[in-house]
Amino acid sequence: MNSIKKWLAGLPGLLVIAFCASVVAQNVEVSPKAREIHDSAIVIDTHADTPQRFIDENFDIGSVTPVSEGNIDLQKAQEGNLGAEFFSIWVAPDIYKGRFVKRTFDLIDAVYEQAARHPDQMMMAFSAEDIVEARSGRQKKLATLMGIEGGHSLEGDIRLLRDYYRLGVRYMTLTWSNTNEIGDSSGDLDKKEVKHHNGLTPFGKQVVLEMNRLGMMVDISHVADKTFWDTLAVTKAPVIASHSSARALSHAARNMTDDMLRAVAKNGGVVDVNFYSGFVDDKFRQAEQAQKPARDKAIAAALQARRDKGLPVNYMDEDRIQREWITKIPHPPLSALIDQIDHVAKVAGIDHVGLGSDFDGVSGALPAGMDSVADLPKITQGLIDRGYTPEQIEKILGGNVLRVFREVERVSRQMRGQP
Ligand SMILES: [Zn+2]
């Protein structure tokens, strides 16, 4: 700090003001009051892509990661009082074509192996009560859960849905960016070569109802608008959007319109805001879109070069190049993320908003100062600054997700004819 002061003393006044303003913008001071509210809450994040790292980089969650490489490790989770993480079981469709099920099982195995390696700090969790249990007692553990991102992991077979449930998977995102047997995705509606279904398919309806019966949360992030509306008409339990932001603030096709936000509220579900800069802030989204053709070309060339050398290609290879390009675009301020949470809270209501970071899945494109799970208390501070009460903040941090999880479990018991 002293060296910074000395350095500042040698600069002209206006420059000093500009420098200080940018430092303040990056570093949100978390007050003792915010810290207390944050630490007394059960903080739940419903989406992180860390399992790719477990396998492809042999990453141990017990090691400490520089934020330039990863957003989650156990030390950072503790610093940010992260109570529960839904690790994403996401199978890259282009890389694992013909091997979706195998990769799904590998990712599930990787999550279990991490939890087994750190039994003092992690606990596999399969219910809302498990999350509460992991956070009680003297040694608070990270409740470790799994959600499958993309129904292509079923390969059109509903029996696999039950197998995944038995292995502990507690939500499934009906589609990722690719349209599948369940329904249309928002990610490829413009691709003529893709066979679309006009929303949810008959098989998709069967899957949604089977998820309701099993007690697996139905996740509508990523789906096309028509699939969303079809799903809400079919489901008997509240849905989640595990990592989706508001389209009113950033016009991404996979963000949710205000009508969709209100519909999730009516359904009793929860929308967990995605932290990715392009979904949070429209200026970033436009810059990212403008850069996309050149970036995609560079990525394709680099991956092809690896293949030509006979080297394997995985998501992390793609991610590294993506990061180099993305860092050239200025990050939105942290306040843009708070704007998103505030918008969903105002439109859907305070009982229908949560957090779905998408950490480790956005190539470092995060709002300034939100570099890892250790920065989560800054959200609590941001909400206090906007007049949210401790009770409201507790709902946003995880209370709403817990309520929805319990309700999904209740509907399941009812459908199975159990008391
Ligand atoms: Zn996603």
Side-chain angles (χ1 to χ4, degrees):
M1 203 60 200
N2 271 332
S3 61
I4 291 181
K5 268 186 202 154
K6 254 185 236 163
W7 179 68
L8 285 175
L11 290 173
L14 257 179
L15 246 181
V16 172
I17 291 166
F19 177 81
C20 290
S22 84
V23 168
V24 171
Q26 309 279 320
N27 287 316
V28 175
E29 276 295 328
V30 177
S31 68
K33 183 186 160 204
R35 193 71 236 192
E36 196 192 319
I37 293 169
H38 189 85
D39 286 349
S40 64
I42 294 183
V43 181
I44 304 176
D45 176 25
T46 49
H47 197 92
D49 278 301
T50 325
Q52 307 296 322
R53 300 194 66 208
F54 296 157
I55 299 183
D56 299 338
E57 297 191 317
N58 209 8
F59 169 60
D60 183 329
I61 198 166
S63 59
V64 179
T65 321
V67 290
S68 57
E69 285 170 27
N71 309 126
I72 297 184
D73 57 52
L74 289 176
Q75 188 183 306
K76 290 186 182 66
Q78 206 168 17
E79 282 169 29
N81 189 39
L82 179 67
E85 182 62 67
F86 281 83
F87 287 102
S88 172
I89 306 300
W90 170 69
V91 175
D94 46 346
I95 299 175
Y96 299 98
K97 207 170 178 158
R99 295 176 290 152
F100 294 164
V101 176
K102 165 79 167 77
R103 179 70 176 179
T104 304
F105 283 129
D106 287 352
L107 289 162
I108 291 171
D109 170 72
V111 173
Y112 273 91
E113 285 302 298
Q114 291 292 328
R117 222 181 269 181
H118 306 284
D120 49 334
Q121 294 177 79
M122 296 173 84
M123 183 189 127
M124 290 303 295
F126 309 103
S127 65
E129 273 327 293
D130 282 354
I131 295 177
V132 175
E133 194 195 317
R135 303 308 288 169
S136 354
R138 213 177 307 145
Q139 172 76 2
K140 288 184 179 177
K141 296 181 182 181
L142 176 65
T144 303
L145 300 104
M146 296 172 291
I148 286 182
E149 181 174 25
H152 56 284
S153 278
L154 298 187
E155 292 188 354
D157 186 347
I158 204 157
R159 292 181 187 89
L160 278 166
L161 180 72
R162 292 191 280 268
D163 287 329
Y164 295 147
Y165 178 85
R166 291 176 190 117
L167 280 171
V169 174
R170 287 299 177 266
Y171 79 68
M172 185 173 77
T173 322
L174 297 178
T175 78
W176 181 61
S177 300
N178 54 318
T179 287
N180 62 35
E181 297 88 348
I182 293 172
D184 293 339
S185 164
S186 63
D188 60 11
L189 281 178
D190 54 341
K191 287 186 186 153
K192 281 199 201 81
E193 67 274 21
V194 176
K195 187 184 170 287
H196 288 107
H197 315 284
N198 188 29
L200 198 67
T201 64
F203 174 69
K205 285 176 187 160
Q206 213 187 325
V207 167
V208 168
L209 289 172
E210 186 62 352
M211 289 172 79
N212 291 161
R213 193 187 69 91
L214 291 168
M216 195 190 278
M217 291 183 277
V218 175
D219 178 16
I220 53 79
S221 285
H222 281 287
V223 301
D225 290 6
K226 179 67 165 56
T227 309
F228 168 86
W229 293 109
D230 289 351
T231 302
L232 282 206
V234 166
T235 184
K236 296 191 184 305
V239 300
I240 64 166
S242 70
H243 58 313
S244 290
S245 303
R247 212 181 290 174
L249 301 182
S250 176
H251 203 76
R254 84 180 247 355
N255 274 354
M256 298 172 71
T257 65
D258 286 359
D259 279 346
M260 291 160 93
L261 294 176
R262 282 186 280 264
V264 169
K266 206 174 150 208
N267 155 276
V270 62
V271 175
D272 301 328
V273 172
N274 191 315
F275 298 4
Y276 169 59
S277 296
F279 299 149
V280 164
D281 177 68
D282 208 60
K283 235 188 288 166
F284 188 99
R285 185 188 67 80
Q286 289 179 34
E288 186 272 332
Q289 283 296 307
Q291 192 199 58
K292 195 174 184 319
R295 189 180 68 234
D296 283 355
K297 226 169 126 183
I299 291 172
L303 296 188
Q304 194 51 48
R306 278 186 70 87
R307 285 192 193 98
D308 290 346
K309 282 185 210 157
L311 295 168
V313 166
N314 62 44
Y315 169 73
M316 299 315 300
D317 299 317
E318 194 176 323
D319 181 63
R320 257 188 302 280
I321 310 160
Q322 187 102 0
R323 266 167 205 272
E324 285 167 23
W325 282 75
I326 290 279
T327 46
K328 294 175 192 163
I329 307 170
H331 296 248
L334 189 65
S335 60
L337 175 59
I338 310 296
D339 288 344
Q340 278 282 354
I341 297 169
D342 189 45
H343 183 86
V344 178
K346 290 218 164 83
V347 175
I350 191 67
D351 291 321
H352 307 285
V353 55
L355 307 177
S357 68
D358 218 349
F359 277 141
D360 287 331
V362 297
S363 305
L366 291 156
M370 188 48 61
D371 297 321
S372 78
V373 282
D375 295 314
L376 290 174
K378 294 176 184 173
I379 292 176
T380 298
Q381 183 65 56
L383 293 169
I384 291 174
D385 293 346
R386 300 212 187 175
Y388 282 80
T389 66
E391 291 73 28
Q392 292 173 325
I393 293 170
E394 187 263 325
K395 288 180 176 185
I396 296 171
L397 292 178
N400 288 334
V401 170
L402 266 189
R403 183 201 74 239
V404 170
F405 200 175
R406 286 197 179 106
E407 183 59 16
V408 166
E409 290 168 351
R410 194 192 63 77
V411 171
S412 162
R413 282 194 301 272
Q414 204 173 39
M415 289 175 77
R416 291 174 192 232
Q418 290 169 356

